[in-house]
């Protein structure tokens, strides 16, 4: 299966990462909505906004019911600062007290904290800020699941269910909970190398891209091989062969690599990846002359 | 989508507040029992909501310390046993099959967090203990289930909140119907009945506080509803090509005919007041099934018992059915089992199948004072004999993710 890729957008924060701030406000239709957003949501909106701008699409206009969103979210993060007030108010000496939690601790939680924890919220914030009304897939938490979402995107385009779609991944990794998760992946990842990453691609039906005069570089993404071998995570995860970049990008690593090749590469980027969640994927992204 | 194959449901497994076998679950549904009671999983103490619909069976709970992992494993194993009980397994090579699972939010243990932050604490080193410490990764059971059933096609894990179960089953249908997969195990599991989960929903004022009358707290479409009741559980379905199922002599419980999903792109917790996103999902599902609204004989509603969902859903159904709306009965399974969040759509698909097989409808309980804005036939008067061929099942998630399935009564070969 193959699809036309007409734009990409990325954002990354971390040691030696290209961005040093994360600000989704240029793309928010209601600036007050930022209070509901956690880091994964902001990564998704910034990456999507940059992608649509590169595509020559006006982000303030609804993409509509024939636009889809296929997003993979990495291991859900949690900032220690968000939970410490709750924890501190729930302690009885050195022990956690459930009774104190239900009577005092829970009242110390930021009232909007729940919204920042839900794995489908990045999809919501992209849909509402760019008017995506079409089909979706929201998967979790590894590179293999990015490819699961990508497969569904390609099928939807091929079936003429949609005209275009955002396909991507977000990895919020610079927090205590994801650091713990990364330590359980083989080989263990140094959390000091982790980036917070969002990467989005715009896939379009060729006729749609031609009709609107899509500007900029284009590429064809071909899904050459996708396979999987079941395993038991309780016995250990699969050793990953995903190439390292400047930082550790987690679930967004291949979305980032594809975006990078579209932006800067030439010819074909032909990669076979073995991911820690059991997938083996060979995909080819060929930049068109 | 060009559906090349009809899709049969040949295996079912459940873990629900009304029972952990399909038979006990079905019986309780038609008797109109409530699975809601005081929370016993932990002491809810000072929380504003102290009721939930819990799974009680110790054989299920003993499978894993993480309840949603336990439910997922149980329901998948039962569905697989069911699908293979005639001594044959679904046809095709292992790489032609895969798993599609909806899963709930990972939450972490506060006790473990205290230990994690204690100076000098050394985390467990053995993989099994390490994976269970602080937080169990939600994809753990996906891979274990794929290994159990020998599905070597790439699996998918859906986290679209309250729509995840329907999305997981729907995506599996699409894969089999299109020919991309020969068979699938599809389902969903969730449990948020833990301190962080219940507290999180309490802070949103989203749940019923009818703590002194738990069995009557979940009241979809009733004027006195005051929020949803949290439930937990899982369901799994084996889907395969109808021709394959007949060739190997498998029991066909129902057919899956169509699936659609859409975004509201409207608000973070409220559905679009006109129900337009929900309407789009239902229409996509019908289009995929090559059916019209007038072909539908029944609806299994999302029916959460929240002030905003129920009237918006009613409007969407009226827009779908037009003048015929009041003649199409609408059941709300959540009236009995509460809201299973990510697992809801999968468990409710099993409820729809139970109704199709019995050619009856289960009741919507606790509907004693209808909301004037909710004026359809919600089967409030008890279970009902109801011949019908096609049914629609709907799930609408936080964040405006809408999903719908079309199911059909199994035909004689």
């Amino acid at each position: 299966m193959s699809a036309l890729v007409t734009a990409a957008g990325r954002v990354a924060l971390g040691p030696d990462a290209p961005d040093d701030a994360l600000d989704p406000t240029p793309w928010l239709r209601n600036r007050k909505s930022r209070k509901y957003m956690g880091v994964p949501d902001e990564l998704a909106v910034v990456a999507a906004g940059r992608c649509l701008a590169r595509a020559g699409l006006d982000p303030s206009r609804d993409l509509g019911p024939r636009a889809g969103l296929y997003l993979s979210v990495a291991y859900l993060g949690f900032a220690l600062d968000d939970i410490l007030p709750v924890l501190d108010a729930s302690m009885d000496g050195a022990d956690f007290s459930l009774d104190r939690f239900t009577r005092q601790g829970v009242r110390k939680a930021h009232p909007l904290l729940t919204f920042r924890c839900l794995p489908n919220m990045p999809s919501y914030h992209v849909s509402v800020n760019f008017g995506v009304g079409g089909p979706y897939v929201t998967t979790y938490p590894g590179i293999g699941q990015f490819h699961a979402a990508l497969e569904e995107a390609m099928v939807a385009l091929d079936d003429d269910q949609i005209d275009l779609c955002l396909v991507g991944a977000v990895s919020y990794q610079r927090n205590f909970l994801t650091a713990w998760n990364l330590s359980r992946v083989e080989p263990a990842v140094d959390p000091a190398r982790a980036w917070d990453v969002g990467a989005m691609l715009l896939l379009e039906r060729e006729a749609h891209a031609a009709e609107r005069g899509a500007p900029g570089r284009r590429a064809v993404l071909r899904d050459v091989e996708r396979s999987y071998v079941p395993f038991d995570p309780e016995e250990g995860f699969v050793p990953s062969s995903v190439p390292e970049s400047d930082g550790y990008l987690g679930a967004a690593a291949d979305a980032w690599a594809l975006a990078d090749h579209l932006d800067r590469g030439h010819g074909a980027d032909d990669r076979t990846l073995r991911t820690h969640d059991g997938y083996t994927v060979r995909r080819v992204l060929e930049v068109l002359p | 989508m060009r559906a090349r194959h009809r899709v049969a449901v040949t295996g079912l497994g459940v873990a629900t507040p009304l029972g952990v076998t399909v038979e006990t679950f079905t019986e309780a549904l038609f008797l109109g029992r409530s699975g809601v009671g005081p929370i016993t999983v932990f002491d809810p103490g000072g929380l504003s909501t102290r009721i939930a619909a819990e799974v009680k069976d110790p054989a299920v709970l003993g499978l894993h310390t993480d309840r949603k992992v336990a439910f997922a494993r149980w329901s998948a194993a039962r569905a697989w046993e069911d699908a293979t009980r005639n001594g044959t397994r679904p046809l095709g090579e292992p790489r032609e099959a895969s798993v599609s699972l909806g899963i709930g939010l990972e939450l972490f243990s506060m006790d473990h967090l205290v230990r994690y932050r204690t100076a000098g604490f050394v985390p467990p080193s053995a993989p099994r203990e390490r994976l269970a410490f602080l937080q169990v990764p939600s994809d753990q059971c996906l891979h274990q289930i794929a290994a159990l059933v020998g599905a070597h096609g790439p699996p998918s894990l859906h986290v679209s909140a309250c729509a995840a179960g329907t999305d997981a089953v729907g995506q599996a249908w699409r894969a089999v119907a299109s020919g991309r997969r020969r068979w699938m195990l599809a389902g969903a599991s969730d449990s948020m009945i833990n301190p962080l989960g219940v507290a999180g929903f309490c802070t949103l004022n989203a749940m019923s506080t009818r703590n002194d009358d738990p069995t009557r707290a979940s009241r979809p479409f009733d004027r006195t509803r005051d929020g949803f009741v949290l439930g937990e559980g899982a369901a799994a379905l084996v889907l395969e090509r109808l021709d394959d199922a007949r060739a190997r002599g498998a029991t066909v419980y129902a057919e899956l005919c169509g699936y659609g999903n859409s975004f509201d792109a409207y608000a973070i917790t409220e559905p679009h007041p006109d129900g337009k996103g929900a309407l789009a999902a239902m229409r996509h599902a019908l289009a995929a099934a090559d059916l019209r609204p007038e072909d539908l004989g029944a609806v299994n509603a999302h029916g959460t018992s929240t002030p905003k969902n129920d009237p918006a859903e009613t409007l969407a159904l009226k827009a779908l059915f037009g003048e015929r709306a009041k003649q199409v009965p609408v059941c709300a399974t959540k009236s009995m089992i509460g809201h299973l969040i990510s697992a809801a759509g999968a468990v409710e698909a099993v409820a729809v199948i139970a109704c199709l097989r019995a050619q009856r409808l289960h009741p919507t309980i606790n509907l004693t004072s209808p909301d004037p804005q909710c004026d359809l036939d919600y089967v409030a008067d008890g279970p009902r004999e109801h011949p019908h061929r096609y049914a629609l099942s709907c799930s609408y998630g936080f964040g405006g993710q809408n999903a719908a399935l079309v199911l059909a009564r199994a035909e004689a070969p």
Side-chain angles (χ1 to χ4, degrees), chain A residues 14-283:
Chain A
D16 300 320
D19 292 276
D20 54 12
L22 186 60
D23 183 9
T25 50
W27 293 283
L28 297 183
R29 294 193 178 183
N30 178 353
R31 295 197 166 204
K32 291 182 182 176
S33 67
R34 191 168 185 193
K35 64 187 177 188
Y36 293 99
M37 299 175 79
V39 172
D41 311 318
E42 296 186 343
L43 291 168
V45 168
V46 171
R50 289 178 177 176
C51 181
L52 293 174
R54 297 285 289 275
L57 290 165
D58 180 355
S60 66
R61 294 188 61 187
D62 286 354
L63 291 173
R66 283 188 59 86
L69 175 61
Y70 299 82
L71 182 63
S72 185
V73 181
Y75 286 114
L76 215 59
F78 212 102
L80 209 50
D81 287 348
D82 283 338
I83 198 65
L84 281 182
V86 177
L87 190 63
D88 290 343
S90 306
M91 299 299 288
D92 182 2
D95 298 320
F96 172 75
S97 163
L98 185 56
D99 187 67
R100 288 199 174 186
F101 169 77
T102 65
R103 296 183 194 282
Q104 294 163 210
V106 66
R107 289 169 178 75
K108 298 296 185 181
H110 191 289
L112 301 178
L113 182 59
T114 301
F115 296 109
R116 299 173 188 166
C117 304
L118 299 174
N120 69 317
M121 284 292 111
S123 290
Y124 161 72
H125 287 287
V126 171
S127 75
V128 78
N129 286 300
F130 302 109
V132 178
Y136 63 83
V137 168
T138 309
T139 60
Y140 184 86
I143 298 175
Q145 291 303 311
F146 162 70
H147 280 275
L150 176 60
E151 176 182 352
E152 296 304 315
M154 287 181 158
V155 168
L157 284 165
D158 193 54
D159 281 344
D160 197 16
Q161 224 193 330
I162 52 175
D163 294 319
L164 76 172
C165 59
L166 288 162
V167 184
V170 293
S171 297
Y172 168 40
Q173 305 189 111
R174 298 185 302 160
N175 62 85
F176 86 94
L177 197 56
T178 306
W180 169 240
N181 273 318
L182 294 183
S183 75
R184 304 193 280 193
V185 173
E186 293 181 30
V189 176
D190 178 4
R193 292 189 53 244
W195 285 3
D196 295 333
V197 183
M200 292 279 196
L201 307 168
L202 187 72
L203 274 57
E204 279 186 86
R205 292 176 56 241
E206 198 157 338
H208 186 266
E211 187 183 321
R212 72 175 185 88
R217 290 160 64 96
R218 302 179 180 199
V220 173
L221 178 60
R222 281 187 294 122
D223 191 20
V224 180
E225 176 201 333
R226 187 181 290 135
S227 63
Y228 168 81
V229 178
F231 66 102
D232 185 350
E234 288 181 329
E235 305 297 323
F237 278 88
V238 177
S240 169
S241 72
V242 177
E244 301 279 321
S245 70
D246 295 331
Y248 180 76
L249 307 182
D254 203 37
W256 181 275
L258 290 165
D260 188 59
H261 187 70
L262 178 67
D263 286 345
R264 306 191 297 177
H266 299 279
D269 178 33
D270 184 342
R271 296 199 193 199
T272 299
L273 310 170
R274 189 175 67 246
T275 72
H276 87 270
D277 53 352
Y279 271 63
T280 299
V281 175
R282 180 178 171 214
R283 87 308 181 265

Side-chain angles (χ1 to χ4, degrees), chain B residues 245-276:
Chain B
R246 286 174 173 165
R248 71 179 185 92
T251 300
V252 176
Y253 292 107
E255 286 186 56
L256 267 176
C257 307
Y259 159 68
N261 69 2
S262 70
F263 279 112
D264 271 6
Y266 176 71
I268 200 163
T269 58
E270 302 168 15
H272 192 285
D274 295 338
K276 70 172 194 174

Side-chain angles (χ1 to χ4, degrees), chain B residues 8-12 23 82-83 85 251-255 353 356-357 408-410:
Chain B
V9 180
T10 58
L12 296 169
E23 291 73 26
D82 190 23
R85 62 188 158 83
T251 300
V252 176
Y253 292 107
E255 286 186 56
I353 291 170
L356 284 165
R357 295 192 76 212
R409 184 185 70 219

Side-chain angles (χ1 to χ4, degrees), chain B residues 53-333:
Chain B
E54 298 176 344
V55 175
K56 304 282 194 186
D57 194 293
V60 178
L61 298 172
L63 292 176
H64 199 278
T65 54
D66 186 305
R67 295 171 79 90
K68 66 179 181 297
V69 172
F71 303 155
R73 284 191 190 169
W74 173 269
S75 58
R78 300 292 81 73
W80 186 243
E81 277 173 5
D82 190 23
T84 58
R85 62 188 158 83
N86 72 347
T88 70
R89 52 180 288 141
L91 303 181
E93 299 296 318
R95 60 181 167 75
E96 296 179 281
S98 64
V99 176
S100 175
L101 195 65
I103 202 80
L105 171 67
E106 297 161 344
L107 293 163
F108 53 83
S109 160
M110 296 290 269
D111 281 313
H112 286 186
L113 181 59
V114 171
R115 291 168 56 195
Y116 187 69
R117 296 192 65 241
T118 301
F121 173 71
V122 178
S125 56
R128 197 171 295 264
E129 287 71 32
R130 197 170 179 81
L131 216 58
F133 180 74
L134 189 58
Q135 183 194 62
V136 175
S138 284
D139 59 333
Q140 171 179 313
C141 54
L142 176 74
H143 304 296
Q144 291 169 333
I145 289 168
L148 169 72
V149 302
H152 288 222
S156 54
L157 190 65
H158 300 261
V159 291
S160 42
C162 316
T166 298
D167 283 327
V169 174
Q171 192 224 322
W173 167 78
R174 192 176 276 160
V176 177
S178 67
R180 281 186 286 144
R181 303 283 192 272
R182 197 83 181 254
W183 62 269
M184 299 279 294
L185 188 137
S189 181
D190 207 344
S191 176
M192 294 187 74
I193 304 178
N194 53 64
L196 281 180
V198 176
F201 282 125
C202 285
T203 60
L204 299 179
N205 296 313
M207 295 196 293
S208 172
T209 56
R210 201 182 284 245
N211 300 308
D212 57 347
D213 196 7
T215 60
R216 293 197 274 198
S218 184
R219 313 175 65 80
F221 309 108
D222 190 89
R223 184 175 47 83
T224 65
R225 66 191 186 277
D226 68 332
F228 73 88
V229 173
L230 189 59
E232 62 176 2
L237 300 81
V238 175
L239 310 181
E240 59 188 291
R241 297 175 189 176
L242 180 62
D243 291 343
D244 285 353
R246 286 174 173 165
R248 71 179 185 92
T251 300
V252 176
Y253 292 107
E255 286 186 56
L256 267 176
C257 307
Y259 159 68
N261 69 2
S262 70
F263 279 112
D264 271 6
Y266 176 71
I268 200 163
T269 58
E270 302 168 15
H272 192 285
D274 295 338
K276 70 172 194 174
L279 181 61
M282 292 191 283
R283 283 183 170 155
H284 289 324
L286 282 168
D290 198 20
L291 293 173
R292 302 157 305 166
E294 48 265 43
D295 295 316
L296 292 170
V299 176
N300 187 294
H302 186 53
T304 52
S305 186
T306 62
K308 296 235 166 99
N309 173 80
D310 296 356
E313 183 166 17
T314 297
L315 279 177
L317 290 170
K318 286 181 175 177
L320 181 71
F321 290 114
E323 291 178 356
R324 194 174 157 256
K326 293 190 180 183
Q327 294 154 27
V328 182
V330 179
C331 305
T333 312

Side-chain angles (χ1 to χ4, degrees), chain B residues 341-389:
Chain B
I341 313 295
S342 298
V347 173
E348 289 162 17
V350 176
V352 171
I353 291 170
C355 291
L356 284 165
R357 295 192 76 212
Q359 291 289 279
R360 301 172 76 197
L361 299 177
H362 73 63
T364 299
I365 68 171
N366 302 326
L367 180 47
T368 55
S369 307
D371 180 341
Q373 291 185 290
C374 304
D375 55 350
L376 301 179
D377 173 10
Y378 303 106
V379 197
D381 49 354
R384 183 189 303 175
E385 302 299 315
H386 183 72
H388 59 295
R389 184 165 180 211

